[in-house]
Amino acid sequence: MMSQSTTVILKDNWRFSKEVKGDAFSTDYDASKWEKVSVPHDWAIYGPFDKKWDIQTGIIEQNGEKEATEKTGRTGSLPHIGTGWYRNVFSIPEFRKGKKALLVFEGAMSEPQVFLNGKKIGNWGYGYSYFFIDITNDLIAGSENVLAVKLTNEPFSSRWYPGAGLYRKVSIVVKEDESFAQWGTFITTPDTKDNNAIVDIKAEFHGSNVSMVTEIKDAKNKVVATQKSTETEDGKFHQTISVGNPHLWSPETPYLYTAVTKLFAADGSLKDEQNIKFGIRYIKYEPNKGFSLNGKVTKFKGVCLHHDLGPLGAAVNKAALKRQLTILKDLGCNAIRSSHNMPSFEQLELADEMGFMFLAESFDEWAKPKVENGYHRFFEEYAEKDIVNLVRATRNHPSIVMWSSGNEVPDQYGAEGLTRAKFLQDVFHREDPTRPVTVGMDQVKQTMASGFGSLLDIPGLNYRVHLYEEAYKAFPQGFILGSETASTVSSRGIYKFPVVQEKNKQYDDLQCSSYDLEACSWSNVPDDDFVLQDDKPWVIGEFVWTGFDYLGEPTPYDEKWPSRSSYFGISDLAGLPKDRFYLYRSRWNTKDNTLHILPHWNWKGREGEITPVFVYTNYDSAELFVNGKSMGIQKKNNATPQNRYRLMWNDVKYEPGTVKVVAFDSNGKIAAESTVKTAGDPYKIVLDADRKTIKANGEDISFVTVSVVDKNGIPCPIADNELQFKVTGAATYRAACNGDATSLEIFHENHMKLFSGKLVVLVKAVKSTGAIQLEVKGKGLQTGKINLKAEL
């Protein structure tokens, strides 16, 4: 048998309890009545929603508030607060004398205390951090071992829904004493020219009298270069390997190579082997020119993403992440900012494979608090350790093109803030000299005056569009990044009249208008950012807040119950596109045409009233017709930012029937058309799956969009029917979500109301193959059925 590393993922056989009054780490503790769960697991997502979980009285300084008010829903109104215990009894047949074992946590929310066989073996502070514990001396060979993990979520520890539990993977790595160090190999591509790339590999190892052989394989698994090394320095091998005619990694061509590194003992026996995927690419940030990838100036068309996956909560799921990225690809998005936390390994793997640049962020707080029990409690002890683990664990991902050491930290004020910014940036530089560091700054005037912004590799501005010019002149870098932009708010399929541009607008139904003209006190509508992106070469791109709605932070309704999730998303919490999706798509997706009409055309009782029609399109002009009558031709112009990026017919009066838009190409010829029709009563349920075949691995998910149509097949945009879901065959019903930020319906129950005529059902694979059927019923509606299947 070859001697090398094996990784055992501790997915099943977990027991969980939130009811433990004392401690539950002893080996003879009886956990037989605890709930059986698999990890990743989020204990809080199952609800119920209740305002008691996050009632806060305070001032949100970032939002410019001056007086304390009662806030609810900031952390999603889900029961994440408290202590949870996890236990797993396992054995590791691969472990024996002469081997070492590491226990790896990819995310544990939060403040994990870790016990093995009744003994405390380690702990950590930050719930978003990856960390590992050497358990070589505590693991019992050839026997059962008892792992217990205690997690504690304090109240007032987050500004959004943080999730709860072992929400990312837990694994045990068994290796020889002579082996590669965990996260100790760093692959860079420092030089690419004349059809040749240099691949630089630095590999840290344990042991002596060893040699390293590296094979570089292309995407077809063909070996394209090899090198053997016997020389080491400071416990590291260092190889520079030439790869001819390299395929360069980019969002358009996300080509991945694999470095197979093998560690051999003096007698020629194989001690360890790593397979590390990497990309060959080169990045540059230059004054007045901006960011370039592989020599081509590229703007960040990015979105910010919190880590929750809507109805799945914080528990990481690759199918859900892949669906998000597939939706973002169609949007034309090319970059993601993990806000405001370390990204999951799965998200980075997908970003590498699917072609997204990544801004990997670390903290929302440094030493000065935003919330009572936030990261400031851990900063002194953990900040460096957290950054070291972030960088070492993820630095081989070609998708990562910059790091962020913080977001809107109160430490932007004062001299000690500069000291902290420099300290953190220096740690990033030490661990990875190849990528720059940014901070999302909201106190822009202050950071101009203090030197904070000048210190950073990349000055990141959160909002503050009116200060871009001034900041560009004040900062020496010669460019500005929109590290967080827009914060436009809307509810999918909800429209309010009269149609006006307003800040902090509130309505009795606690929804926001989808005319995309409503923002927050500190923020703006998308068009204001578009102007800067298009007209200023020194603005290197933007990361829109946010790509998808997320649990918690229900601004502008954080003082109103029952709002419990955000309105910021370009898509809603279910992943369904809002109108704003098509506004961004019309600019960002340069391969496909966009022609989208809003609002819907079901306005019984508004006959004869002004109901403006907007069209989001990449075409410059179009003609609008209502029931065959022309409302005139509109052409994009520079009168206002809105006129530049939207076609707007502001005087249309509502009459039921058909709205049609005909778009013209640059020669004035008809290029495309689109229609919206008034629907009759809901008649039939229609199902549409993102994938009809899923993997029978117990984790894969098909996302089925459920909508209703009238008897002529026209979608019913205001339907709110209660529907019931039933899954039979080789899968289970997992959850549903309708994207309504005010709904208190529980995601995992098998019934839910439609919101603006739609919802999404999640059908989850089991570990057996075969046919699957989802049946959706509603009172007085024709039942909807869809056949799926699970394969190996």
Side-chain angles (χ1 to χ4, degrees):
M1 186 183 103
M2 285 202 301
S3 292
Q4 48 187 283
S5 299
T6 50
T7 299
V8 179
I9 295 168
L10 297 181
K11 178 176 184 280
D12 300 314
N13 306 317
W14 288 92
R15 295 274 183 172
F16 166 73
S17 176
K18 241 194 116 184
E19 309 307 315
V20 177
K21 295 289 178 265
D23 285 324
F25 57 77
S26 68
T27 49
D28 54 2
Y29 187 94
D30 180 11
S32 60
K33 295 199 168 50
W34 288 12
E35 185 186 353
K36 280 185 183 172
V37 299
S38 61
V39 165
H41 177 247
D42 178 351
W43 82 56
I45 194 60
Y46 299 97
F49 293 102
D50 193 321
K51 70 189 272 186
K52 74 179 181 189
W53 292 113
D54 51 18
I55 291 178
Q56 301 181 21
T57 302
I59 299 168
I60 306 178
E61 286 178 16
Q62 298 103 283
N63 298 4
E65 294 181 358
K66 300 280 186 272
E67 289 178 26
T69 52
E70 181 181 288
K71 314 232 173 348
T72 60
R74 285 196 85 199
T75 54
S77 304
L78 287 162
H80 71 283
I81 292 160
T83 299
W85 279 90
Y86 290 83
R87 283 172 65 95
N88 194 319
V89 180
F90 65 92
S91 57
I92 305 287
E94 296 88 351
F95 185 68
R96 59 178 188 275
K97 198 169 169 54
K99 295 257 192 179
K100 68 183 342 175
L102 306 175
L103 175 62
V104 183
F105 290 89
E106 295 179 20
M109 192 64 71
S110 58
E111 300 182 46
Q113 308 276 320
V114 185
F115 305 85
L116 188 61
N117 299 322
K119 175 188 165 190
K120 185 173 177 185
I121 55 164
N123 59 277
W124 208 263
Y126 196 30
Y128 290 105
S129 204
Y130 341 114
F131 65 98
F132 62 90
I133 302 167
D134 190 329
I135 57 170
T136 306
N137 299 328
D138 301 293
L139 192 65
I140 305 168
S143 174
E144 288 193 330
N145 292 265
V146 180
L147 173 63
V149 184
K150 180 185 184 182
L151 298 171
T152 307
N153 278 350
E154 297 283 357
F156 317 125
S157 60
S158 183
R159 298 190 300 121
W160 56 85
Y161 176 67
L166 295 173
Y167 68 103
R168 292 178 182 168
K169 282 206 302 265
V170 179
S171 53
I172 293 172
V173 179
V174 178
K175 46 172 78 180
E176 298 283 319
D177 265 345
E178 294 163 310
S179 55
F180 290 113
Q182 180 74 3
W183 304 332
T185 299
F186 189 16
I187 302 176
T188 59
T189 54
D191 202 14
T192 305
K193 58 172 179 274
D194 302 331
N195 294 327
N196 194 57
I198 298 298
V199 178
D200 184 287
I201 302 177
K202 294 183 179 74
E204 204 179 317
F205 65 93
H206 306 291
S208 56
N209 294 328
V210 288
S211 58
M212 181 170 97
V213 175
T214 299
E215 292 179 339
I216 292 179
K217 294 180 174 180
D218 66 12
K220 292 178 181 163
N221 220 24
K222 184 180 161 219
V223 177
V224 293
T226 59
Q227 192 171 119
K228 180 175 179 175
S229 301
T230 53
E231 303 275 310
T232 65
E233 193 178 327
D234 300 329
K236 284 180 188 170
F237 285 103
H238 185 191
Q239 297 181 331
T240 50
I241 305 172
S242 182
V243 174
N245 299 311
H247 299 271
L248 300 186
W249 185 95
S250 72
E252 297 73 34
T253 58
Y255 193 95
L256 295 175
Y257 289 86
T258 304
V260 182
T261 59
K262 295 180 181 181
L263 193 71
F264 292 97
D267 64 3
S269 59
L270 179 66
K271 290 295 183 183
D272 202 358
E273 181 179 323
Q274 299 180 119
N275 285 262
I276 300 172
K277 286 190 171 171
F278 71 97
I280 295 175
R281 56 112 180 101
Y282 57 100
I283 59 174
K284 252 189 181 165
Y285 294 82
E286 299 169 278
N288 308 315
K289 192 173 174 186
F291 170 74
S292 58
L293 176 67
N294 303 328
K296 182 182 160 200
V297 173
T298 302
K299 291 229 182 189
F300 294 108
K301 301 186 285 190
V303 298
C304 300
L305 291 181
H306 266 317
H307 73 309
D308 81 66
L309 293 167
L312 296 173
V316 76
N317 179 278
K318 204 157 184 178
L321 286 165
K322 189 165 187 177
R323 173 179 177 249
Q324 280 195 340
L325 296 185
T326 303
I327 291 164
L328 291 175
K329 265 289 177 201
D330 179 55
L331 180 65
C333 169
N334 68 6
I336 291 159
R337 174 188 180 217
S338 64
S339 321
H340 306 288
N341 49 269
M342 286 115 180
S344 67
F345 295 166
E346 291 86 348
Q347 191 179 33
L348 291 171
E349 285 161 15
L350 287 166
D352 289 349
E353 291 164 18
M354 296 174 71
F356 289 89
M357 296 179 289
F358 222 95
L359 194 176
E361 195 152 85
S362 47
F363 310 124
D364 187 53
E365 267 186 20
W366 293 349
K368 285 188 178 178
K370 288 185 190 178
V371 288
E372 190 181 318
N373 290 312
Y375 186 74
H376 66 272
R377 294 180 298 144
F378 307 119
F379 183 83
E380 288 303 326
E381 183 184 350
Y382 280 99
E384 182 168 1
K385 292 193 279 194
D386 283 330
I387 289 174
V388 167
N389 283 3
L390 165 64
V391 177
R392 290 189 188 176
T394 66
R395 59 192 171 182
N396 294 323
H397 290 282
S399 51
I400 297 178
V401 295
M402 75 176 99
W403 306 106
S404 166
S405 63
N407 170 68
E408 298 183 0
V409 292
D411 316 62
Q412 287 166 90
Y413 290 98
E416 71 273 22
L418 266 75
T419 307
R420 285 174 200 135
K422 184 176 187 316
F423 159 67
L424 296 173
Q425 185 163 280
D426 286 349
V427 176
F428 274 111
H429 288 169
R430 182 191 75 208
E431 297 299 320
D432 174 15
T434 72
R435 296 176 178 95
V437 181
T438 190
V439 169
M441 300 183 291
D442 60 333
Q443 304 299 325
V444 179
K445 286 274 196 191
Q446 166 64 23
T447 63
M448 284 193 267
S450 71
F452 186 107
S454 300
L455 170 80
L456 303 171
D457 298 329
I458 296 178
L461 266 59
N462 286 9
Y463 316 105
R464 313 297 184 265
V465 285
H466 60 289
L467 294 175
Y468 268 52
E469 291 273 6
E470 197 180 332
Y472 168 60
K473 288 176 183 136
F475 295 144
Q477 296 90 338
F479 50 79
I480 297 285
L481 171 68
S483 43
E484 194 170 311
T485 63
S487 270
T488 305
V489 287
S490 62
S491 305
R492 178 181 54 78
I494 302 289
Y495 306 91
K496 301 294 186 182
F497 305 97
V499 176
V500 286
Q501 191 165 340
E502 283 210 48
K503 298 275 180 93
N504 281 7
K505 182 73 175 153
Q506 296 189 348
Y507 303 94
D508 291 344
D509 61 359
L510 309 190
Q511 303 292 353
C512 297
S513 177
S514 201
Y515 275 103
D516 301 321
L517 291 171
E518 294 176 8
C520 305
S521 58
W522 70 89
S523 66
N524 53 271
V525 294
D527 323 65
D528 298 346
D529 288 300
F530 295 168
V531 170
L532 288 163
Q533 303 298 325
D534 287 347
D535 294 357
K536 311 291 182 190
W538 44 266
V539 177
I540 65 172
E542 66 173 320
F543 289 89
V544 180
W545 192 263
T546 51
F548 295 84
D549 279 337
Y550 55 93
L551 291 159
E553 284 196 317
T555 315
Y557 296 111
D558 50 11
E559 294 165 24
K560 301 282 172 74
W561 179 252
S563 288
R564 48 77 176 151
S565 58
S566 83
Y567 300 80
F568 296 119
I570 293 171
S571 292
D572 72 14
L573 197 70
L576 297 169
K578 301 181 186 178
D579 292 297
R580 195 160 8 116
F581 180 95
Y582 301 97
L583 180 58
Y584 283 99
R585 189 182 192 270
S586 69
R587 262 189 93 247
W588 282 1
N589 183 335
T590 53
K591 295 201 312 282
D592 305 299
N593 291 315
T594 299
L595 187 60
H596 175 77
I597 304 172
L598 64 136
H600 64 69
W601 213 240
N602 273 54
W603 297 106
K604 196 173 179 183
R606 284 190 60 79
E607 290 79 4
E609 291 189 46
I610 287 183
T611 307
V613 174
F614 288 7
V615 170
Y616 297 159
T617 181
N618 58 303
Y619 296 107
D620 276 341
S621 62
E623 187 169 8
L624 188 76
F625 299 88
V626 177
N627 293 330
K629 185 180 167 211
S630 176
M631 299 289 122
I633 292 173
Q634 289 286 346
K635 190 168 171 45
K636 289 177 186 171
N637 61 65
N638 289 344
T640 69
Q642 279 68 47
N643 290 98
R644 186 168 166 181
Y645 297 104
R646 318 175 186 207
L647 298 174
M648 300 179 289
W649 287 262
N650 288 317
D651 301 322
V652 176
K653 289 185 176 159
Y654 175 67
E655 56 182 69
T658 300
V659 176
K660 180 166 95 167
V661 65
V662 176
F664 306 109
D665 65 17
S666 52
N667 300 318
K669 291 207 163 62
I670 291 175
E673 61 178 60
S674 184
T675 57
V676 172
K677 295 181 179 178
T678 306
D681 292 334
Y683 174 73
K684 176 182 164 188
I685 296 167
V686 178
L687 308 183
D688 179 34
D690 72 328
R691 290 180 308 136
K692 288 197 164 180
T693 302
I694 55 176
K695 291 227 179 309
N697 60 6
E699 295 174 21
D700 206 1
I701 296 174
S702 175
F703 290 80
V704 182
T705 299
V706 179
S707 50
V708 293
V709 296
D710 70 8
K711 59 179 186 295
N712 297 316
I714 299 168
C716 301
I718 56 173
D720 61 357
N721 308 59
E722 169 104 16
L723 304 180
Q724 288 80 38
F725 323 117
K726 186 181 172 189
V727 175
T728 49
T732 56
Y733 168 74
R734 175 61 185 85
C737 184
N738 61 13
D740 178 1
T742 69
S743 169
L744 301 182
E745 296 163 290
I746 292 170
F747 298 127
H748 66 283
E749 290 189 350
N750 64 349
H751 55 88
M752 187 171 278
K753 280 183 161 184
L754 292 163
F755 177 64
S756 295
K758 290 187 178 184
L759 56 77
V760 173
V761 170
L762 285 66
V763 177
K764 190 173 185 183
V766 290
K767 287 184 178 173
S768 54
T769 60
I772 302 162
Q773 189 179 67
L774 168 65
E775 183 180 71
V776 181
K777 291 183 169 177
K779 196 173 176 184
L781 296 170
Q782 216 177 79
T783 297
K785 289 180 184 175
I786 191 167
N787 293 310
L788 312 169
K789 63 180 175 185
E791 292 179 348
L792 288 172

